Structures are given as structure tokens and as C-alpha cells.
Amino acid sequence: NEKTKLFVTTFDRSTGVAETVIHKLYKNTRSVKRVSFRHGLDLPAAFLLARTLELRTGQSVVMEVLHEDESYAVELTPGEKERVEVPAGSFEAVPLDLRVRLLAGGEEEDEAQPSFRSMRIWITSRDRLPVKLEAEASVGHVYAELVSVQH
């Protein structure tokens, strides 16, 4: 609560520029950053798109994802369906392995480390719900599991 930030990103597809306005509510300040992109998505849009993709095992897709003022290539590779047990129940799910790399000046790879070195998300086969997440982050390991579902 003490360090709340609000990020608003707008994509101008005609010029290929995304503008991110960062409001630091705790300081009452505002900054604007612009980044060039070709097909860029913000994090929520990329996550929603990943849920809808019908990929075959081993078939990868790469998305350009913008976060703050950086552009990343995110490669998604599905694995074999498996049964996943989480507090919300037992689900048939497809694990998606994510590889992230920072893009600099087009498609050149930068040596900087992304926030997540590796990530795996399990998406249910039927409803396409994310039920489990495991990630190796710069601060340690992150785990998340679906606790409940209401229809």
C-alpha cells in the first residue's frame, strides 16, 4: 500500500510505438516512457492469448511482450497433458514452458537477465484455466496454485 504504482500502456499500431504512463501514487508523480514494437502485447493480453492458443506438443510460438519500457520475446512451448492436483481439485492440464529474453533495438538479444529465468504454467485442457505456476525468478522461486473455482 505504501508504494502503489499504476501502469497504463497504450499501443499506437499505426506508428509502432507503445506509450507507458507510470503513476507513482505514493509520490504523486507521473512519468512517460515510449518503446517501439512490431506486434507487442502487454502482460495481461499476452497471458490471455497464451490461454487461447491450441499448440501441439513441442510446437513453439514466440510473442513480443512489452513491460514498462522494455520489450521481450516470450517463447511458449507446450508439453504433454498431465493430471495436476491443486487445492481447487484435480485437472487435466497442458504445461506451457516459457523462455523470456530481452529485446534491444529490434531483435538483438541483450545480455541483461529477465526477471524470470524460467517459468511453467499449467492450463486446463477443457476451460483453459491457469491452475498452477512455477517460476525461477531473480529473487528465488515463485509458486502459485489455483485455490477455488466458482461457476
Side-chain angles (χ1 to χ4, degrees):
N1 290 336
E2 295 153 10
K3 297 215 174 190
T4 302
K5 293 180 185 179
L6 174 64
F7 295 86
V8 178
T9 304
T10 49
F11 295 87
D12 183 344
R13 300 212 181 268
S14 64
T15 62
V17 174
E19 179 179 272
T20 301
V21 178
I22 304 164
H23 300 274
K24 291 183 181 176
L25 302 178
Y26 62 99
K27 286 186 176 181
N28 197 26
T29 62
R30 178 180 181 271
S31 62
V32 178
K33 297 182 178 186
R34 290 177 181 80
V35 100
S36 296
F37 71 94
R38 283 189 302 167
H39 307 291
L41 300 166
D42 61 3
L43 287 172
F47 187 71
L48 289 172
L49 178 61
R51 288 181 54 207
T52 66
L53 296 174
E54 294 290 337
L55 299 173
R56 291 187 206 102
T57 302
Q59 173 190 8
S60 295
V61 66
V62 177
M63 295 186 282
E64 185 179 347
V65 177
L66 301 172
H67 180 63
E68 296 182 21
D69 61 342
E70 300 289 354
S71 178
Y72 299 89
V74 178
E75 181 179 6
L76 303 166
T77 306
E80 294 284 342
K81 264 187 210 173
E82 56 188 73
R83 176 127 328 252
V84 177
E85 301 285 336
V86 296
S90 179
F91 299 91
E92 281 290 318
V94 175
L96 288 178
D97 288 319
L98 281 77
R99 282 190 18 206
V100 179
R101 74 180 162 87
L102 184 63
L103 295 175
E107 294 190 16
E108 295 174 28
E109 189 171 344
D110 191 3
E111 294 300 315
Q113 288 289 327
S115 299
F116 290 99
R117 295 183 185 105
S118 65
M119 184 183 301
R120 179 173 265 201
I121 301 172
W122 284 261
I123 307 287
T124 61
S125 304
R126 192 176 125 224
D127 297 326
R128 309 299 290 169
L129 291 173
V131 291
K132 186 175 175 179
L133 174 139
E134 293 178 357
E136 182 186 342
S138 55
V139 295
H141 293 278
V142 177
Y143 302 97
E145 294 182 339
L146 184 65
V147 173
S148 68
V149 178
Q150 295 180 351
H151 294 281

mmCIF file with all atom_site columns, all heavy atoms in Angstrom, residues 11 39-53 61 63-66 72 74 76 96 98 121:
data_model
loop_
_atom_site.group_PDB
_atom_site.id
_atom_site.type_symbol
_atom_site.label_atom_id
_atom_site.label_alt_id
_atom_site.label_comp_id
_atom_site.label_asym_id
_atom_site.label_entity_id
_atom_site.label_seq_id
_atom_site.pdbx_PDB_ins_code
_atom_site.Cartn_x
_atom_site.Cartn_y
_atom_site.Cartn_z
_atom_site.occupancy
_atom_site.B_iso_or_equiv
_atom_site.pdbx_formal_charge
_atom_site.auth_seq_id
_atom_site.auth_comp_id
_atom_site.auth_asym_id
_atom_site.auth_atom_id
_atom_site.pdbx_PDB_model_num
ATOM 1   N N   . PHE A 1 11  ? -1.133 1.318   -27.116 1.00 0.00 ? 11  PHE A N   1
ATOM 2   C CA  . PHE A 1 11  ? -0.412 0.886   -28.302 1.00 0.00 ? 11  PHE A CA  1
ATOM 3   C C   . PHE A 1 11  ? -0.915 1.660   -29.503 1.00 0.00 ? 11  PHE A C   1
ATOM 4   O O   . PHE A 1 11  ? -2.103 1.618   -29.816 1.00 0.00 ? 11  PHE A O   1
ATOM 5   C CB  . PHE A 1 11  ? -0.628 -0.620  -28.545 1.00 0.00 ? 11  PHE A CB  1
ATOM 6   C CG  . PHE A 1 11  ? -0.043 -1.477  -27.467 1.00 0.00 ? 11  PHE A CG  1
ATOM 7   C CD1 . PHE A 1 11  ? -0.766 -1.787  -26.327 1.00 0.00 ? 11  PHE A CD1 1
ATOM 8   C CD2 . PHE A 1 11  ? 1.236  -1.987  -27.595 1.00 0.00 ? 11  PHE A CD2 1
ATOM 9   C CE1 . PHE A 1 11  ? -0.228 -2.584  -25.337 1.00 0.00 ? 11  PHE A CE1 1
ATOM 10  C CE2 . PHE A 1 11  ? 1.791  -2.787  -26.606 1.00 0.00 ? 11  PHE A CE2 1
ATOM 11  C CZ  . PHE A 1 11  ? 1.057  -3.081  -25.483 1.00 0.00 ? 11  PHE A CZ  1
ATOM 12  N N   . HIS A 1 39  ? 4.638  -6.179  -32.963 1.00 0.00 ? 39  HIS A N   1
ATOM 13  C CA  . HIS A 1 39  ? 3.363  -6.843  -32.695 1.00 0.00 ? 39  HIS A CA  1
ATOM 14  C C   . HIS A 1 39  ? 3.000  -6.800  -31.221 1.00 0.00 ? 39  HIS A C   1
ATOM 15  O O   . HIS A 1 39  ? 2.137  -7.518  -30.791 1.00 0.00 ? 39  HIS A O   1
ATOM 16  C CB  . HIS A 1 39  ? 3.425  -8.315  -33.119 1.00 0.00 ? 39  HIS A CB  1
ATOM 17  C CG  . HIS A 1 39  ? 3.881  -8.508  -34.511 1.00 0.00 ? 39  HIS A CG  1
ATOM 18  N ND1 . HIS A 1 39  ? 3.135  -8.143  -35.592 1.00 0.00 ? 39  HIS A ND1 1
ATOM 19  C CD2 . HIS A 1 39  ? 5.028  -9.010  -34.998 1.00 0.00 ? 39  HIS A CD2 1
ATOM 20  C CE1 . HIS A 1 39  ? 3.796  -8.419  -36.688 1.00 0.00 ? 39  HIS A CE1 1
ATOM 21  N NE2 . HIS A 1 39  ? 4.953  -8.944  -36.364 1.00 0.00 ? 39  HIS A NE2 1
ATOM 22  N N   . GLY A 1 40  ? 3.666  -6.010  -30.425 1.00 0.00 ? 40  GLY A N   1
ATOM 23  C CA  . GLY A 1 40  ? 3.661  -6.075  -28.967 1.00 0.00 ? 40  GLY A CA  1
ATOM 24  C C   . GLY A 1 40  ? 2.327  -6.231  -28.271 1.00 0.00 ? 40  GLY A C   1
ATOM 25  O O   . GLY A 1 40  ? 1.310  -5.725  -28.703 1.00 0.00 ? 40  GLY A O   1
ATOM 26  N N   . LEU A 1 41  ? 2.385  -6.951  -27.155 1.00 0.00 ? 41  LEU A N   1
ATOM 27  C CA  . LEU A 1 41  ? 1.262  -7.144  -26.252 1.00 0.00 ? 41  LEU A CA  1
ATOM 28  C C   . LEU A 1 41  ? 1.716  -6.713  -24.863 1.00 0.00 ? 41  LEU A C   1
ATOM 29  O O   . LEU A 1 41  ? 2.889  -6.822  -24.537 1.00 0.00 ? 41  LEU A O   1
ATOM 30  C CB  . LEU A 1 41  ? 0.884  -8.627  -26.193 1.00 0.00 ? 41  LEU A CB  1
ATOM 31  C CG  . LEU A 1 41  ? 0.463  -9.296  -27.494 1.00 0.00 ? 41  LEU A CG  1
ATOM 32  C CD1 . LEU A 1 41  ? 0.466  -10.811 -27.322 1.00 0.00 ? 41  LEU A CD1 1
ATOM 33  C CD2 . LEU A 1 41  ? -0.905 -8.815  -27.908 1.00 0.00 ? 41  LEU A CD2 1
ATOM 34  N N   . ASP A 1 42  ? 0.779  -6.261  -24.042 1.00 0.00 ? 42  ASP A N   1
ATOM 35  C CA  . ASP A 1 42  ? 1.143  -6.038  -22.651 1.00 0.00 ? 42  ASP A CA  1
ATOM 36  C C   . ASP A 1 42  ? 0.998  -7.370  -21.916 1.00 0.00 ? 42  ASP A C   1
ATOM 37  O O   . ASP A 1 42  ? 0.535  -8.362  -22.483 1.00 0.00 ? 42  ASP A O   1
ATOM 38  C CB  . ASP A 1 42  ? 0.319  -4.913  -22.022 1.00 0.00 ? 42  ASP A CB  1
ATOM 39  C CG  . ASP A 1 42  ? -1.172 -5.195  -22.017 1.00 0.00 ? 42  ASP A CG  1
ATOM 40  O OD1 . ASP A 1 42  ? -1.594 -6.279  -22.448 1.00 0.00 ? 42  ASP A OD1 1
ATOM 41  O OD2 . ASP A 1 42  ? -1.925 -4.310  -21.573 1.00 0.00 ? 42  ASP A OD2 1
ATOM 42  N N   . LEU A 1 43  ? 1.413  -7.435  -20.655 1.00 0.00 ? 43  LEU A N   1
ATOM 43  C CA  . LEU A 1 43  ? 1.407  -8.703  -19.920 1.00 0.00 ? 43  LEU A CA  1
ATOM 44  C C   . LEU A 1 43  ? 0.022  -9.341  -19.820 1.00 0.00 ? 43  LEU A C   1
ATOM 45  O O   . LEU A 1 43  ? -0.117 -10.533 -20.099 1.00 0.00 ? 43  LEU A O   1
ATOM 46  C CB  . LEU A 1 43  ? 2.016  -8.516  -18.530 1.00 0.00 ? 43  LEU A CB  1
ATOM 47  C CG  . LEU A 1 43  ? 3.528  -8.339  -18.513 1.00 0.00 ? 43  LEU A CG  1
ATOM 48  C CD1 . LEU A 1 43  ? 4.001  -7.964  -17.121 1.00 0.00 ? 43  LEU A CD1 1
ATOM 49  C CD2 . LEU A 1 43  ? 4.218  -9.589  -18.990 1.00 0.00 ? 43  LEU A CD2 1
ATOM 50  N N   . PRO A 1 44  ? -1.032 -8.600  -19.433 1.00 0.00 ? 44  PRO A N   1
ATOM 51  C CA  . PRO A 1 44  ? -2.352 -9.256  -19.360 1.00 0.00 ? 44  PRO A CA  1
ATOM 52  C C   . PRO A 1 44  ? -2.824 -9.791  -20.715 1.00 0.00 ? 44  PRO A C   1
ATOM 53  O O   . PRO A 1 44  ? -3.360 -10.897 -20.796 1.00 0.00 ? 44  PRO A O   1
ATOM 54  C CB  . PRO A 1 44  ? -3.283 -8.149  -18.846 1.00 0.00 ? 44  PRO A CB  1
ATOM 55  C CG  . PRO A 1 44  ? -2.374 -7.194  -18.155 1.00 0.00 ? 44  PRO A CG  1
ATOM 56  C CD  . PRO A 1 44  ? -1.082 -7.235  -18.914 1.00 0.00 ? 44  PRO A CD  1
ATOM 57  N N   . ALA A 1 45  ? -2.609 -9.044  -21.792 1.00 0.00 ? 45  ALA A N   1
ATOM 58  C CA  . ALA A 1 45  ? -3.026 -9.505  -23.116 1.00 0.00 ? 45  ALA A CA  1
ATOM 59  C C   . ALA A 1 45  ? -2.240 -10.744 -23.543 1.00 0.00 ? 45  ALA A C   1
ATOM 60  O O   . ALA A 1 45  ? -2.793 -11.689 -24.114 1.00 0.00 ? 45  ALA A O   1
ATOM 61  C CB  . ALA A 1 45  ? -2.859 -8.397  -24.154 1.00 0.00 ? 45  ALA A CB  1
ATOM 62  N N   . ALA A 1 46  ? -0.951 -10.774 -23.254 1.00 0.00 ? 46  ALA A N   1
ATOM 63  C CA  . ALA A 1 46  ? -0.126 -11.940 -23.596 1.00 0.00 ? 46  ALA A CA  1
ATOM 64  C C   . ALA A 1 46  ? -0.599 -13.166 -22.821 1.00 0.00 ? 46  ALA A C   1
ATOM 65  O O   . ALA A 1 46  ? -0.667 -14.269 -23.370 1.00 0.00 ? 46  ALA A O   1
ATOM 66  C CB  . ALA A 1 46  ? 1.345  -11.650 -23.293 1.00 0.00 ? 46  ALA A CB  1
ATOM 67  N N   . PHE A 1 47  ? -0.946 -12.970 -21.562 1.00 0.00 ? 47  PHE A N   1
ATOM 68  C CA  . PHE A 1 47  ? -1.427 -14.082 -20.747 1.00 0.00 ? 47  PHE A CA  1
ATOM 69  C C   . PHE A 1 47  ? -2.746 -14.615 -21.295 1.00 0.00 ? 47  PHE A C   1
ATOM 70  O O   . PHE A 1 47  ? -2.942 -15.824 -21.418 1.00 0.00 ? 47  PHE A O   1
ATOM 71  C CB  . PHE A 1 47  ? -1.571 -13.640 -19.293 1.00 0.00 ? 47  PHE A CB  1
ATOM 72  C CG  . PHE A 1 47  ? -1.901 -14.767 -18.368 1.00 0.00 ? 47  PHE A CG  1
ATOM 73  C CD1 . PHE A 1 47  ? -0.950 -15.728 -18.063 1.00 0.00 ? 47  PHE A CD1 1
ATOM 74  C CD2 . PHE A 1 47  ? -3.159 -14.876 -17.813 1.00 0.00 ? 47  PHE A CD2 1
ATOM 75  C CE1 . PHE A 1 47  ? -1.244 -16.780 -17.217 1.00 0.00 ? 47  PHE A CE1 1
ATOM 76  C CE2 . PHE A 1 47  ? -3.463 -15.924 -16.966 1.00 0.00 ? 47  PHE A CE2 1
ATOM 77  C CZ  . PHE A 1 47  ? -2.511 -16.870 -16.664 1.00 0.00 ? 47  PHE A CZ  1
ATOM 78  N N   . LEU A 1 48  ? -3.665 -13.713 -21.644 1.00 0.00 ? 48  LEU A N   1
ATOM 79  C CA  . LEU A 1 48  ? -4.950 -14.141 -22.209 1.00 0.00 ? 48  LEU A CA  1
ATOM 80  C C   . LEU A 1 48  ? -4.755 -14.859 -23.535 1.00 0.00 ? 48  LEU A C   1
ATOM 81  O O   . LEU A 1 48  ? -5.404 -15.875 -23.807 1.00 0.00 ? 48  LEU A O   1
ATOM 82  C CB  . LEU A 1 48  ? -5.885 -12.939 -22.384 1.00 0.00 ? 48  LEU A CB  1
ATOM 83  C CG  . LEU A 1 48  ? -6.420 -12.343 -21.097 1.00 0.00 ? 48  LEU A CG  1
ATOM 84  C CD1 . LEU A 1 48  ? -7.164 -11.037 -21.389 1.00 0.00 ? 48  LEU A CD1 1
ATOM 85  C CD2 . LEU A 1 48  ? -7.327 -13.325 -20.373 1.00 0.00 ? 48  LEU A CD2 1
ATOM 86  N N   . LEU A 1 49  ? -3.858 -14.355 -24.382 1.00 0.00 ? 49  LEU A N   1
ATOM 87  C CA  . LEU A 1 49  ? -3.582 -15.011 -25.661 1.00 0.00 ? 49  LEU A CA  1
ATOM 88  C C   . LEU A 1 49  ? -3.005 -16.401 -25.435 1.00 0.00 ? 49  LEU A C   1
ATOM 89  O O   . LEU A 1 49  ? -3.403 -17.371 -26.097 1.00 0.00 ? 49  LEU A O   1
ATOM 90  C CB  . LEU A 1 49  ? -2.629 -14.173 -26.506 1.00 0.00 ? 49  LEU A CB  1
ATOM 91  C CG  . LEU A 1 49  ? -2.227 -14.789 -27.848 1.00 0.00 ? 49  LEU A CG  1
ATOM 92  C CD1 . LEU A 1 49  ? -3.437 -15.026 -28.748 1.00 0.00 ? 49  LEU A CD1 1
ATOM 93  C CD2 . LEU A 1 49  ? -1.205 -13.924 -28.552 1.00 0.00 ? 49  LEU A CD2 1
ATOM 94  N N   . ALA A 1 50  ? -2.081 -16.541 -24.496 1.00 0.00 ? 50  ALA A N   1
ATOM 95  C CA  . ALA A 1 50  ? -1.466 -17.841 -24.215 1.00 0.00 ? 50  ALA A CA  1
ATOM 96  C C   . ALA A 1 50  ? -2.516 -18.867 -23.815 1.00 0.00 ? 50  ALA A C   1
ATOM 97  O O   . ALA A 1 50  ? -2.415 -20.041 -24.177 1.00 0.00 ? 50  ALA A O   1
ATOM 98  C CB  . ALA A 1 50  ? -0.409 -17.701 -23.121 1.00 0.00 ? 50  ALA A CB  1
ATOM 99  N N   . ARG A 1 51  ? -3.563 -18.433 -23.116 1.00 0.00 ? 51  ARG A N   1
ATOM 100 C CA  . ARG A 1 51  ? -4.635 -19.347 -22.705 1.00 0.00 ? 51  ARG A CA  1
ATOM 101 C C   . ARG A 1 51  ? -5.444 -19.849 -23.895 1.00 0.00 ? 51  ARG A C   1
ATOM 102 O O   . ARG A 1 51  ? -6.021 -20.923 -23.826 1.00 0.00 ? 51  ARG A O   1
ATOM 103 C CB  . ARG A 1 51  ? -5.585 -18.644 -21.738 1.00 0.00 ? 51  ARG A CB  1
ATOM 104 C CG  . ARG A 1 51  ? -5.006 -18.410 -20.372 1.00 0.00 ? 51  ARG A CG  1
ATOM 105 C CD  . ARG A 1 51  ? -6.005 -17.739 -19.454 1.00 0.00 ? 51  ARG A CD  1
ATOM 106 N NE  . ARG A 1 51  ? -7.239 -18.507 -19.412 1.00 0.00 ? 51  ARG A NE  1
ATOM 107 C CZ  . ARG A 1 51  ? -8.424 -17.976 -19.156 1.00 0.00 ? 51  ARG A CZ  1
ATOM 108 N NH1 . ARG A 1 51  ? -8.547 -16.686 -18.925 1.00 0.00 ? 51  ARG A NH1 1
ATOM 109 N NH2 . ARG A 1 51  ? -9.506 -18.733 -19.103 1.00 0.00 ? 51  ARG A NH2 1
ATOM 110 N N   . THR A 1 52  ? -5.499 -19.094 -24.976 1.00 0.00 ? 52  THR A N   1
ATOM 111 C CA  . THR A 1 52  ? -6.356 -19.476 -26.105 1.00 0.00 ? 52  THR A CA  1
ATOM 112 C C   . THR A 1 52  ? -5.637 -20.282 -27.175 1.00 0.00 ? 52  THR A C   1
ATOM 113 O O   . THR A 1 52  ? -6.286 -20.878 -28.025 1.00 0.00 ? 52  THR A O   1
ATOM 114 C CB  . THR A 1 52  ? -6.957 -18.225 -26.784 1.00 0.00 ? 52  THR A CB  1
ATOM 115 O OG1 . THR A 1 52  ? -5.899 -17.466 -27.380 1.00 0.00 ? 52  THR A OG1 1
ATOM 116 C CG2 . THR A 1 52  ? -7.719 -17.373 -25.791 1.00 0.00 ? 52  THR A CG2 1
ATOM 117 N N   . LEU A 1 53  ? -4.320 -20.273 -27.158 1.00 0.00 ? 53  LEU A N   1
ATOM 118 C CA  . LEU A 1 53  ? -3.562 -20.957 -28.209 1.00 0.00 ? 53  LEU A CA  1
ATOM 119 C C   . LEU A 1 53  ? -3.756 -22.463 -28.152 1.00 0.00 ? 53  LEU A C   1
ATOM 120 O O   . LEU A 1 53  ? -3.734 -23.067 -27.092 1.00 0.00 ? 53  LEU A O   1
ATOM 121 C CB  . LEU A 1 53  ? -2.068 -20.636 -28.090 1.00 0.00 ? 53  LEU A CB  1
ATOM 122 C CG  . LEU A 1 53  ? -1.679 -19.181 -28.298 1.00 0.00 ? 53  LEU A CG  1
ATOM 123 C CD1 . LEU A 1 53  ? -0.194 -19.003 -28.007 1.00 0.00 ? 53  LEU A CD1 1
ATOM 124 C CD2 . LEU A 1 53  ? -2.006 -18.732 -29.706 1.00 0.00 ? 53  LEU A CD2 1
ATOM 125 N N   . VAL A 1 61  ? 5.623  -21.089 -30.023 1.00 0.00 ? 61  VAL A N   1
ATOM 126 C CA  . VAL A 1 61  ? 5.204  -19.813 -30.595 1.00 0.00 ? 61  VAL A CA  1
ATOM 127 C C   . VAL A 1 61  ? 5.936  -18.724 -29.812 1.00 0.00 ? 61  VAL A C   1
ATOM 128 O O   . VAL A 1 61  ? 6.189  -18.875 -28.622 1.00 0.00 ? 61  VAL A O   1
ATOM 129 C CB  . VAL A 1 61  ? 3.673  -19.623 -30.534 1.00 0.00 ? 61  VAL A CB  1
ATOM 130 C CG1 . VAL A 1 61  ? 3.178  -19.506 -29.110 1.00 0.00 ? 61  VAL A CG1 1
ATOM 131 C CG2 . VAL A 1 61  ? 3.234  -18.418 -31.336 1.00 0.00 ? 61  VAL A CG2 1
ATOM 132 N N   . MET A 1 63  ? 5.973  -14.615 -28.812 1.00 0.00 ? 63  MET A N   1
ATOM 133 C CA  . MET A 1 63  ? 5.215  -13.374 -28.745 1.00 0.00 ? 63  MET A CA  1
ATOM 134 C C   . MET A 1 63  ? 6.142  -12.255 -28.299 1.00 0.00 ? 63  MET A C   1
ATOM 135 O O   . MET A 1 63  ? 7.048  -12.491 -27.505 1.00 0.00 ? 63  MET A O   1
ATOM 136 C CB  . MET A 1 63  ? 4.088  -13.478 -27.715 1.00 0.00 ? 63  MET A CB  1
ATOM 137 C CG  . MET A 1 63  ? 3.016  -14.465 -28.021 1.00 0.00 ? 63  MET A CG  1
ATOM 138 S SD  . MET A 1 63  ? 1.659  -14.358 -26.819 1.00 0.00 ? 63  MET A SD  1
ATOM 139 C CE  . MET A 1 63  ? 2.369  -15.213 -25.435 1.00 0.00 ? 63  MET A CE  1
ATOM 140 N N   . GLU A 1 64  ? 5.901  -11.067 -28.813 1.00 0.00 ? 64  GLU A N   1
ATOM 141 C CA  . GLU A 1 64  ? 6.621  -9.890  -28.329 1.00 0.00 ? 64  GLU A CA  1
ATOM 142 C C   . GLU A 1 64  ? 5.772  -9.261  -27.231 1.00 0.00 ? 64  GLU A C   1
ATOM 143 O O   . GLU A 1 64  ? 4.613  -8.916  -27.446 1.00 0.00 ? 64  GLU A O   1
ATOM 144 C CB  . GLU A 1 64  ? 6.836  -8.885  -29.455 1.00 0.00 ? 64  GLU A CB  1
ATOM 145 C CG  . GLU A 1 64  ? 7.673  -7.706  -29.044 1.00 0.00 ? 64  GLU A CG  1
ATOM 146 C CD  . GLU A 1 64  ? 7.910  -6.714  -30.179 1.00 0.00 ? 64  GLU A CD  1
ATOM 147 O OE1 . GLU A 1 64  ? 7.641  -7.051  -31.336 1.00 0.00 ? 64  GLU A OE1 1
ATOM 148 O OE2 . GLU A 1 64  ? 8.358  -5.607  -29.875 1.00 0.00 ? 64  GLU A OE2 1
ATOM 149 N N   . VAL A 1 65  ? 6.344  -9.151  -26.029 1.00 0.00 ? 65  VAL A N   1
ATOM 150 C CA  . VAL A 1 65  ? 5.624  -8.636  -24.868 1.00 0.00 ? 65  VAL A CA  1
ATOM 151 C C   . VAL A 1 65  ? 6.335  -7.388  -24.365 1.00 0.00 ? 65  VAL A C   1
ATOM 152 O O   . VAL A 1 65  ? 7.556  -7.374  -24.222 1.00 0.00 ? 65  VAL A O   1
ATOM 153 C CB  . VAL A 1 65  ? 5.554  -9.703  -23.743 1.00 0.00 ? 65  VAL A CB  1
ATOM 154 C CG1 . VAL A 1 65  ? 4.870  -9.143  -22.510 1.00 0.00 ? 65  VAL A CG1 1
ATOM 155 C CG2 . VAL A 1 65  ? 4.832  -10.944 -24.240 1.00 0.00 ? 65  VAL A CG2 1
ATOM 156 N N   . LEU A 1 66  ? 5.551  -6.347  -24.110 1.00 0.00 ? 66  LEU A N   1
ATOM 157 C CA  . LEU A 1 66  ? 6.089  -5.098  -23.579 1.00 0.00 ? 66  LEU A CA  1
ATOM 158 C C   . LEU A 1 66  ? 5.737  -4.986  -22.107 1.00 0.00 ? 66  LEU A C   1
ATOM 159 O O   . LEU A 1 66  ? 4.601  -5.228  -21.718 1.00 0.00 ? 66  LEU A O   1
ATOM 160 C CB  . LEU A 1 66  ? 5.498  -3.905  -24.328 1.00 0.00 ? 66  LEU A CB  1
ATOM 161 C CG  . LEU A 1 66  ? 5.741  -3.891  -25.830 1.00 0.00 ? 66  LEU A CG  1
ATOM 162 C CD1 . LEU A 1 66  ? 4.945  -2.777  -26.485 1.00 0.00 ? 66  LEU A CD1 1
ATOM 163 C CD2 . LEU A 1 66  ? 7.212  -3.728  -26.129 1.00 0.00 ? 66  LEU A CD2 1
ATOM 164 N N   . TYR A 1 72  ? 10.230 -7.760  -24.740 1.00 0.00 ? 72  TYR A N   1
ATOM 165 C CA  . TYR A 1 72  ? 10.722 -9.115  -24.529 1.00 0.00 ? 72  TYR A CA  1
ATOM 166 C C   . TYR A 1 72  ? 10.171 -10.056 -25.596 1.00 0.00 ? 72  TYR A C   1
ATOM 167 O O   . TYR A 1 72  ? 9.044  -9.885  -26.050 1.00 0.00 ? 72  TYR A O   1
ATOM 168 C CB  . TYR A 1 72  ? 10.277 -9.654  -23.159 1.00 0.00 ? 72  TYR A CB  1
ATOM 169 C CG  . TYR A 1 72  ? 10.797 -8.859  -21.999 1.00 0.00 ? 72  TYR A CG  1
ATOM 170 C CD1 . TYR A 1 72  ? 10.098 -7.773  -21.497 1.00 0.00 ? 72  TYR A CD1 1
ATOM 171 C CD2 . TYR A 1 72  ? 12.002 -9.187  -21.393 1.00 0.00 ? 72  TYR A CD2 1
ATOM 172 C CE1 . TYR A 1 72  ? 10.573 -7.038  -20.428 1.00 0.00 ? 72  TYR A CE1 1
ATOM 173 C CE2 . TYR A 1 72  ? 12.495 -8.458  -20.322 1.00 0.00 ? 72  TYR A CE2 1
ATOM 174 C CZ  . TYR A 1 72  ? 11.774 -7.383  -19.851 1.00 0.00 ? 72  TYR A CZ  1
ATOM 175 O OH  . TYR A 1 72  ? 12.254 -6.657  -18.800 1.00 0.00 ? 72  TYR A OH  1
ATOM 176 N N   . VAL A 1 74  ? 8.902  -13.744 -25.822 1.00 0.00 ? 74  VAL A N   1
ATOM 177 C CA  . VAL A 1 74  ? 8.455  -14.807 -24.934 1.00 0.00 ? 74  VAL A CA  1
ATOM 178 C C   . VAL A 1 74  ? 8.114  -16.015 -25.800 1.00 0.00 ? 74  VAL A C   1
ATOM 179 O O   . VAL A 1 74  ? 7.231  -15.948 -26.645 1.00 0.00 ? 74  VAL A O   1
ATOM 180 C CB  . VAL A 1 74  ? 7.229  -14.374 -24.105 1.00 0.00 ? 74  VAL A CB  1
ATOM 181 C CG1 . VAL A 1 74  ? 6.736  -15.512 -23.228 1.00 0.00 ? 74  VAL A CG1 1
ATOM 182 C CG2 . VAL A 1 74  ? 7.556  -13.145 -23.273 1.00 0.00 ? 74  VAL A CG2 1
ATOM 183 N N   . LEU A 1 76  ? 6.687  -19.768 -26.006 1.00 0.00 ? 76  LEU A N   1
ATOM 184 C CA  . LEU A 1 76  ? 5.819  -20.712 -25.306 1.00 0.00 ? 76  LEU A CA  1
ATOM 185 C C   . LEU A 1 76  ? 5.951  -22.076 -25.963 1.00 0.00 ? 76  LEU A C   1
ATOM 186 O O   . LEU A 1 76  ? 5.783  -22.188 -27.183 1.00 0.00 ? 76  LEU A O   1
ATOM 187 C CB  . LEU A 1 76  ? 4.361  -20.282 -25.388 1.00 0.00 ? 76  LEU A CB  1
ATOM 188 C CG  . LEU A 1 76  ? 4.002  -18.906 -24.876 1.00 0.00 ? 76  LEU A CG  1
ATOM 189 C CD1 . LEU A 1 76  ? 2.612  -18.517 -25.350 1.00 0.00 ? 76  LEU A CD1 1
ATOM 190 C CD2 . LEU A 1 76  ? 4.073  -18.872 -23.386 1.00 0.00 ? 76  LEU A CD2 1
ATOM 191 N N   . LEU A 1 96  ? 2.826  -25.282 -20.059 1.00 0.00 ? 96  LEU A N   1
ATOM 192 C CA  . LEU A 1 96  ? 3.464  -24.384 -21.031 1.00 0.00 ? 96  LEU A CA  1
ATOM 193 C C   . LEU A 1 96  ? 4.786  -23.919 -20.440 1.00 0.00 ? 96  LEU A C   1
ATOM 194 O O   . LEU A 1 96  ? 4.817  -23.317 -19.369 1.00 0.00 ? 96  LEU A O   1
ATOM 195 C CB  . LEU A 1 96  ? 2.600  -23.153 -21.295 1.00 0.00 ? 96  LEU A CB  1
ATOM 196 C CG  . LEU A 1 96  ? 1.327  -23.315 -22.088 1.00 0.00 ? 96  LEU A CG  1
ATOM 197 C CD1 . LEU A 1 96  ? 0.596  -21.972 -22.182 1.00 0.00 ? 96  LEU A CD1 1
ATOM 198 C CD2 . LEU A 1 96  ? 1.614  -23.839 -23.474 1.00 0.00 ? 96  LEU A CD2 1
ATOM 199 N N   . LEU A 1 98  ? 7.840  -21.396 -20.606 1.00 0.00 ? 98  LEU A N   1
ATOM 200 C CA  . LEU A 1 98  ? 8.101  -20.060 -21.131 1.00 0.00 ? 98  LEU A CA  1
ATOM 201 C C   . LEU A 1 98  ? 9.580  -19.758 -21.039 1.00 0.00 ? 98  LEU A C   1
ATOM 202 O O   . LEU A 1 98  ? 10.195 -19.979 -19.999 1.00 0.00 ? 98  LEU A O   1
ATOM 203 C CB  . LEU A 1 98  ? 7.341  -18.999 -20.327 1.00 0.00 ? 98  LEU A CB  1
ATOM 204 C CG  . LEU A 1 98  ? 5.862  -18.834 -20.629 1.00 0.00 ? 98  LEU A CG  1
ATOM 205 C CD1 . LEU A 1 98  ? 5.066  -19.942 -20.001 1.00 0.00 ? 98  LEU A CD1 1
ATOM 206 C CD2 . LEU A 1 98  ? 5.395  -17.498 -20.136 1.00 0.00 ? 98  LEU A CD2 1
ATOM 207 N N   . ILE A 1 121 ? 3.614  -22.837 -16.711 1.00 0.00 ? 121 ILE A N   1
ATOM 208 C CA  . ILE A 1 121 ? 2.226  -22.590 -16.337 1.00 0.00 ? 121 ILE A CA  1
ATOM 209 C C   . ILE A 1 121 ? 1.401  -23.771 -16.837 1.00 0.00 ? 121 ILE A C   1
ATOM 210 O O   . ILE A 1 121 ? 1.522  -24.159 -18.006 1.00 0.00 ? 121 ILE A O   1
ATOM 211 C CB  . ILE A 1 121 ? 1.686  -21.288 -16.966 1.00 0.00 ? 121 ILE A CB  1
ATOM 212 C CG1 . ILE A 1 121 ? 2.513  -20.095 -16.528 1.00 0.00 ? 121 ILE A CG1 1
ATOM 213 C CG2 . ILE A 1 121 ? 0.215  -21.082 -16.618 1.00 0.00 ? 121 ILE A CG2 1
ATOM 214 C CD1 . ILE A 1 121 ? 2.157  -18.803 -17.254 1.00 0.00 ? 121 ILE A CD1 1
#
